[in-house]
């Protein structure tokens, strides 16, 4: 399994970005998928994840109502639409896959390579 994240970049506060994560392998539907981020000097934190079975997305309080995670099973790809971006959203964003119903950092089996999101004020 390989995860390829893309879509990061530099954006002004209030702007939007869409991250993508392509899952390479035959078993996409057996994994829960999630997005994490790590800002300089801080620990990696979960941003959002999608329940493997129901497809329901769950969000960290800090991004709720601004970020939307979705998946396209036909493309084995997950997305993170980020709106109303703030400078504190600046971080390296990682997609992750877990052999579980939900994703938590201790359950992650595979990590993507990370994509940098920089939000200027």
């Amino acid at each position: 399994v390989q995860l390829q994240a893309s879509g990061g970049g530099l954006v002004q506060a209030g702007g939007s970005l869409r991250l993508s994560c392509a899952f390479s392998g035959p078993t996409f539907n057996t994994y829960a998928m999630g997005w994490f981020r790590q800002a300089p000097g801080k620990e990696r934190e979960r941003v959002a994840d999608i329940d493997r079975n129901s497809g329901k997305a769950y969000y960290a309080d800090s991004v709720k109502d601004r970020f939307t995670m979705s998946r396209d099973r036909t493309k084995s790809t997950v997305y993170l639409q980020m709106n109303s971006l703030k400078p504190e959203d600046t971080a390296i964003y990682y997609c992750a896959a877990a052999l579980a119903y939900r994703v938590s950092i201790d359950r992650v089996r595979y990590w993507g390579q990370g994509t940098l999101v920089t939000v200027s004020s």
Side-chain angles (χ1 to χ4, degrees):
V1 172
Q2 289 187 327
L3 304 178
Q4 182 69 41
S6 61
L10 174 63
V11 64
Q12 288 188 332
S16 298
L17 281 174
R18 186 195 195 207
L19 306 183
S20 300
C21 176
F23 179 106
S24 297
T27 56
F28 178 70
N29 291 337
T30 65
Y31 286 85
M33 299 294 295
W35 287 97
F36 291 73
R37 67 185 181 187
Q38 188 165 17
K42 294 189 176 181
E43 293 188 351
R44 193 171 297 190
E45 62 175 355
R46 186 189 67 85
V47 174
D49 70 292
I50 284 185
D51 184 285
R52 180 182 70 185
N53 290 347
S54 70
K56 181 179 178 180
Y58 297 84
Y59 302 94
D61 288 343
S62 58
V63 306
K64 203 171 292 183
D65 299 325
R66 298 189 298 122
F67 290 11
T68 301
M69 184 175 180
S70 60
R71 69 180 176 186
D72 184 337
R73 282 179 158 174
T74 66
K75 297 181 179 179
S76 297
T77 299
V78 295
Y79 305 94
L80 186 68
Q81 178 67 43
M82 305 184 294
N83 298 330
S84 302
L85 282 161
K86 305 175 181 180
E88 51 262 44
D89 294 318
T90 295
I92 299 175
Y93 284 71
Y94 299 89
C95 60
L99 269 176
Y101 293 107
R102 295 274 313 274
V103 182
S104 57
I105 198 165
D106 58 315
R107 294 176 176 174
V108 173
R109 175 84 49 108
Y110 301 103
W111 291 99
Q113 85 284 10
T115 184
L116 177 62
V117 172
T118 304
V119 184
S120 63
S121 56

